[in-house]
């Protein structure tokens, strides 16, 4: 569909994003068009004022007849917006869908736009628990979507490693006599246990609390070289352990960044700019605040120490200067809405090069009920291990399970378990709280990650059985699909919706748009596999045309799954 979309959008350069905004009509409208392939563009409300002028100008355009047969303009009526219907040349339509995409036929690329996505961002003093799961996998999908659409994309993981609690952490390591070998073996759990031990000791003994403050002061001032070096080592061990979990989730980052990289000097400079701009005001109790939406938000406590907002303003300004982004997305839970509102409005008021349109808090709700069968899971790794173990049990109980020659069975179980967890979380609207259910997540027949993997494996098995047929040399034939049961055209039109679904998922910043599309694609594929048999078909022409259709379905499903961070299996 790339060349068809280009043929339309290149004639209408004044219409921003029309390439992506073109949509395949719903089934009811297709029937009204005698099942002729059509793309529609609905005029957005923002240009409703120029509706007549725009519609008149469209009638005079000469669209490439290789792809476009006819253009029909439908004016607005009542609540129905005006739209333009591009009736496509059917043979070109089916060839564009079913032939493998050529490398030179790339979509229009917004590569001059640079999008930064900050996601996951655990605190190294606390476990990487299931609460981080949504940030990690939603952020990963959003970064994947932007990259797929041609945006320059930078993926940031901004880890918490600073503040008074890290004095407690360093003290806990000393109190527990943690060796470097202990730390290297299980850094996150070891750091967490150290923090808990020091916190408990500090509650019982004020002198220990003071020692923790002194340790952090030395770390912050850079006067203890040995501890600073040790701290660097702990951070490296932490990244290495996190990378194991991220690899299982299909997640990666371009950059790991730390709170500690923003020095007191940088923060002091930002505070001075805020004062000079009249944005930082002193209260009678000695605190200094900014006013945002009539709310007085502290930036500096009465004892002179800075709050988290000051460091985040410094980080945002430094990132804009260093990365020159067009837009930055912070994938952080709903509970931080007020913080990001204050961050964005204060920073935009301080630096006129930044606008609020460039700054976005991608909010999401909480996951409830995610635990192992043994009880509450502290670490995300435990949940992923549990999913793998459950899938292993299910495979043992299923008599038809075959060994997988291309992957170790343990890897297959892990991939299936991770797919179940990811899709069960991603299929929800992100701002809703979500009740996790193992029973629902691991179903084969419902809308689950297992269903996506099963359909992909089923398509792969079919294509492997006919790998002696060279599909590259076979030309898709529109007339053939017109004469097939309607399931053939239904699957064709479902495949044609992939591009618009990717765009809508990116525009709404909702992974569930893509997930639900893939469920629909699986359903259309299953119906077609039932009604369009290949093995039992004696006509070679019908066989080859059906194989082309199922090859395109596998290719599209695979691409969609990879955008979600899944590893598509060929056999399960």
């Amino acid at each position: 569909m790339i060349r068809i979309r280009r043929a339309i959008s290149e004639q209408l350069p004044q219409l921003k994003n029309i390439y992506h905004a073109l949509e395949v009509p719903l089934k009811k409208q297709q029937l009204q068009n005698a099942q002729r392939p059509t793309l529609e563009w609905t005029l957005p409300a923002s240009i409703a004022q120029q509706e007549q002028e725009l519609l008149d100008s469209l009638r005079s355009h000469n669209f490439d007849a290789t792809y476009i047969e006819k253009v029909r303009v439908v004016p607005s009526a009542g609540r129905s917006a005006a739209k333009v219907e591009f009736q496509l040349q059917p043979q070109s339509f089916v060839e564009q869908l079913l032939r493998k995409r050529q490398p030179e036929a790339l979509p229009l690329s917004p590569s001059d736009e640079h999008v930064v996505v900050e996601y996951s961002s655990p605190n190294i003093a606390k476990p990487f628990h299931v609460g981080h799961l949504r940030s990690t996998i939603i952020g990963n999908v959003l970064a994947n979507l932007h990259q797929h659409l041609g945006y320059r994309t930078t993926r940031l993981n901004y880890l918490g490693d600073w503040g008074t609690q890290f004095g407690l952490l360093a003290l806990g390591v000393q109190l527990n006599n943690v060796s470097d070998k202990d730390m290297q073996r299980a850094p996150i759990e070891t750091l967490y246990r150290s923090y808990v031990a020091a916190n408990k000791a500090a509650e019982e003994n004020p002198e220990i609390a003071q020692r923790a403050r002194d340790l952090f002061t030395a770390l912050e001032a850079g006067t203890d070289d040995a501890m600073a070096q040790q701290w660097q080592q702990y951070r490296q061990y932490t990244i290495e352990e996190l990378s194991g979990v991220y690899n299982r989730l299909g997640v990666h980052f371009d950059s790991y960044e730390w709170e500690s990289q923003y020095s007191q000097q940088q923060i002091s400079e930002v505070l001075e700019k805020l004062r000079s701009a009249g944005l930082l005001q002193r209260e009678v109790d000695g605190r200094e605040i900014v006013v945002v939406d009539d709310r007085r938000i502290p930036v500096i406590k009465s004892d002179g120490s800075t709050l988290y907002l000051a460091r985040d303003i410094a980080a945002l300004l430094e990132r804009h200067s260093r990365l020159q982004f067009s837009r930055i997305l912070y994938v952080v839970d709903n509970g931080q809405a007020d913080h990001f509102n204050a961050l964005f409005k204060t920073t935009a008021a301080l630096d006129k090069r930044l606008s609020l349109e460039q700054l976005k808090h991608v909010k999401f709700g909480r996951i409830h009920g995610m635990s192992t069968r043994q009880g509450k899971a502290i670490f995300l790794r435990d949940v992923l291990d549990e999913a793998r173990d459950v899938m292993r049990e299910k495979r043992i109980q299923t008599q038809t399970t075959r060994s997988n020659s291309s992957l170790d069975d343990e890897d297959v179980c892990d991939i299936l378990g991770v797919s179940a967890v990811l899709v069960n979380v991603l299929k929800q609207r992100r701002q809703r709280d979500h009740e996790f259910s193992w029973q629902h997540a691991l179903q084969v027949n419902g809308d689950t990650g297992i269903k996506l993997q099963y359909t992909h494996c089923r398509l792969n098995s079919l294509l492997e059985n006919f790998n002696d047929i060279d599909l590259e040399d076979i030309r898709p034939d529109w007339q053939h699909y017109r004469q097939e049961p309607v399931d053939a055209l239904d699957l064709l039109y479902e495949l044609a919706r992939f591009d618009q679904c990717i765009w809508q998922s990116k525009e709404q910043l909702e992974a569930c748009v893509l997930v639900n599309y893939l469920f629909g694609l699986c359903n259309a594929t299953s119906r077609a596999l039932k009604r369009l048999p290949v093995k039992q078909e004696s006509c070679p022409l019908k066989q080859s045309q059906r194989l082309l259709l199922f090859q395109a379905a596998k290719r599209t499903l695979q691409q969609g799954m990879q955008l979600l961070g899944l590893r598509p299996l060929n056999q399960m």
Side-chain angles (χ1 to χ4, degrees):
M1 295 290 286
I2 291 173
R3 287 195 176 93
I4 294 176
R5 288 175 177 269
R6 272 187 180 276
I8 296 170
S9 58
E10 286 177 351
Q11 281 288 312
L12 304 167
Q14 75 275 27
L15 300 179
K16 188 180 180 183
N17 292 330
I18 189 173
Y19 175 94
H20 298 287
L22 292 163
E23 296 187 6
V24 177
L26 298 173
K27 189 170 184 177
K28 182 179 176 182
Q29 294 163 291
Q30 290 168 9
L31 292 171
Q32 292 170 352
N33 293 331
Q35 290 283 30
R36 302 286 286 183
T38 306
L39 282 174
E40 290 182 345
W41 179 63
T42 303
L43 269 68
S46 59
I47 58 174
Q49 299 279 340
Q50 297 88 40
E51 176 185 319
Q52 199 55 52
E53 178 187 345
L54 187 56
L55 296 180
D56 289 343
S57 71
L58 275 164
R59 293 185 177 95
S60 63
H61 279 283
N62 294 316
F63 293 95
D64 189 340
T66 308
Y67 303 112
I68 316 299
E69 277 193 350
K70 188 167 64 175
V71 179
R72 177 170 168 256
V73 171
V74 183
S76 58
R79 292 186 178 182
S80 299
K83 65 180 178 181
V84 183
E85 293 178 352
F86 299 90
Q87 194 168 98
L88 309 180
Q89 206 285 337
Q91 182 57 33
S92 292
F93 168 77
V94 78
E95 286 185 17
Q96 285 287 295
L97 274 180
L98 301 189
R99 284 194 183 279
K100 286 188 177 177
R101 293 185 174 182
Q102 299 301 313
E104 71 275 8
L106 297 172
L108 295 179
S109 173
S111 58
D112 57 327
E113 295 186 44
H114 182 195
V115 177
V116 174
V117 188
E118 182 201 290
Y119 56 107
S120 194
S121 302
N123 185 325
I124 72 167
K126 296 177 182 177
F128 184 39
H129 57 77
V130 296
H132 297 113
L133 177 63
R134 257 189 149 171
S135 172
T136 303
I137 62 179
I138 290 170
N140 187 54
V141 175
L142 297 183
N144 289 344
L145 290 171
H146 281 87
Q147 188 169 320
H148 173 82
L149 288 165
Y151 294 87
R152 285 194 299 129
T153 308
T154 298
R155 305 155 184 264
L156 293 186
N157 195 351
Y158 183 55
L159 293 95
D161 70 328
W162 214 238
T164 309
Q165 73 265 35
F166 292 100
L168 281 170
L169 184 56
L171 180 61
V173 169
Q174 293 179 11
L175 292 175
N176 284 358
N177 294 315
V178 175
S179 68
D180 189 66
K181 188 175 288 186
D182 292 334
M183 187 66 70
Q184 193 168 7
R185 184 170 55 248
I188 295 176
E189 289 182 49
T190 303
L191 288 169
Y192 179 60
R193 285 197 303 269
S194 300
Y195 177 74
V196 170
N199 205 42
K200 186 178 179 182
E203 287 176 0
E204 297 170 354
N205 187 342
E207 291 183 10
I208 288 180
Q210 185 57 50
R211 278 179 61 194
R213 286 191 288 271
D214 292 344
L215 278 171
F216 180 69
T217 300
L219 187 63
E220 191 174 33
T223 56
D224 189 331
D225 291 341
M227 192 167 74
Q229 187 176 359
Q230 192 178 49
W231 198 246
Q232 295 281 353
Q233 193 67 61
Y234 293 169
R235 294 194 321 187
Q236 186 56 41
Y237 291 158
T238 300
I239 287 178
E240 288 168 4
E241 183 174 348
L242 285 173
S243 294
V245 176
Y246 289 139
N247 287 338
R248 292 173 75 180
L249 294 171
V251 170
H252 71 277
F253 296 93
D254 297 309
S255 177
Y256 285 91
E257 300 188 355
W258 305 87
E259 284 185 55
S260 59
Q261 73 190 52
Y262 297 102
S263 66
Q264 286 300 108
Q265 177 64 32
Q266 287 173 289
I267 294 170
S268 297
E269 289 171 4
V270 167
L271 294 175
E272 196 52 49
K273 287 179 183 176
L274 286 168
R275 291 190 187 98
S276 299
L279 295 171
L280 200 60
Q281 303 174 18
R282 183 175 289 276
E283 299 280 75
V284 292
D285 61 1
R287 294 183 305 161
E288 291 185 71
I289 58 99
V290 290
V291 179
V292 179
D293 299 336
D294 297 324
R295 293 176 60 243
R296 308 178 77 78
I297 303 188
V299 179
I300 303 176
K301 293 191 285 188
S302 55
D303 64 2
S305 59
T306 56
L307 292 164
Y308 199 67
L309 181 59
R311 188 175 298 277
D312 266 10
I313 294 170
L316 178 52
L317 290 170
E318 188 275 335
R319 286 174 181 177
H320 188 241
S321 175
R322 169 167 51 99
L323 299 171
Q324 296 293 303
F325 57 76
S326 311
R327 199 176 191 209
I328 185 167
L329 309 178
Y330 291 85
V331 187
V332 184
D333 69 85
N334 285 329
Q336 297 296 313
D338 288 342
H339 171 77
F340 282 104
N341 183 55
L343 170 64
F344 296 161
K345 288 183 176 176
T346 304
T347 310
L350 182 63
D351 189 334
K352 300 305 180 186
R353 295 172 301 170
L354 274 171
S355 69
L356 291 176
E357 288 72 33
Q358 293 174 272
L359 312 173
K360 178 67 177 177
H361 174 203
V362 182
K363 297 178 276 192
F364 58 86
R366 293 185 175 183
I367 300 177
H368 303 289
M370 183 178 278
S371 63
T372 65
R373 287 169 292 184
Q374 283 71 43
K376 290 290 179 184
I378 295 176
F379 298 98
L380 178 58
R381 185 186 61 223
D382 297 334
V383 173
L384 299 182
D385 288 349
E386 175 83 356
R388 179 196 62 211
D389 295 344
V390 171
M391 287 312 306
R392 188 193 303 114
E393 291 172 13
K394 281 181 171 284
R395 280 167 57 80
I396 291 169
Q397 292 163 8
T398 304
Q399 294 180 355
T400 55
T401 298
R402 294 179 295 173
S403 62
N404 192 308
S405 57
S406 60
L407 279 173
D408 181 271
D409 270 12
E410 194 72 357
D411 288 334
V412 172
C413 293
D414 193 51
I415 291 168
L416 289 173
V418 169
S419 299
V421 171
L422 260 64
V423 171
N424 192 264
V425 174
L426 290 173
K427 72 179 183 180
Q428 318 294 332
R429 284 272 166 192
R430 59 176 162 81
Q431 283 194 250
R432 293 179 185 164
D433 284 3
H434 166 47
E435 191 71 34
F436 183 84
S437 162
W438 283 113
Q439 181 182 352
H440 293 151
L442 300 172
Q443 287 176 345
V444 175
N445 297 324
D447 286 342
T448 65
I450 308 302
K451 176 181 185 171
L452 300 185
Q453 292 285 9
Y454 174 76
T455 306
H456 188 268
C457 290
R458 194 176 171 191
L459 288 167
N460 183 74
S461 176
L462 173 66
L463 294 166
E464 280 193 343
N465 285 334
F466 291 90
N467 60 11
D468 56 319
I469 298 176
D470 188 356
L471 297 178
E472 295 290 323
D473 296 334
I474 296 169
R475 188 185 185 206
D477 182 3
W478 168 258
Q479 289 306 322
H480 164 79
Y481 296 109
R482 279 292 307 274
Q483 294 159 12
E484 287 272 41
V486 70
D487 307 271
L489 287 184
D490 285 350
L491 182 51
L492 275 173
Y493 289 129
E494 198 63 42
L495 292 170
R497 288 192 182 90
F498 181 64
D499 290 333
Q500 74 190 50
C501 155
I502 296 296
W503 180 255
Q504 290 164 359
S505 198
K506 188 277 297 184
E507 283 289 278
Q508 297 175 37
L509 302 173
E510 285 282 11
C512 67
V513 174
L514 173 56
V515 174
N516 289 322
Y517 165 80
L518 294 178
F519 290 150
L521 176 61
C522 286
N523 293 336
T525 299
S526 296
R527 290 191 296 269
L529 284 166
K530 190 174 183 179
R531 295 289 305 278
L532 308 170
V534 180
K535 290 180 182 178
Q536 297 87 349
E537 180 54 60
S538 58
C539 174
L541 173 62
K542 282 189 176 183
Q543 268 196 342
S544 59
Q545 291 293 320
R546 289 174 182 180
L547 284 170
L548 279 177
L549 181 61
F550 293 129
Q551 177 183 252
K554 177 180 181 282
R555 189 166 59 239
T556 304
L557 178 57
Q558 179 180 25
Q559 191 170 28
M561 290 171 70
Q562 288 170 337
L563 287 170
L564 296 179
L566 305 184
R567 290 170 60 190
L569 288 167
N570 289 331
Q571 190 177 310
M572 59 181 276

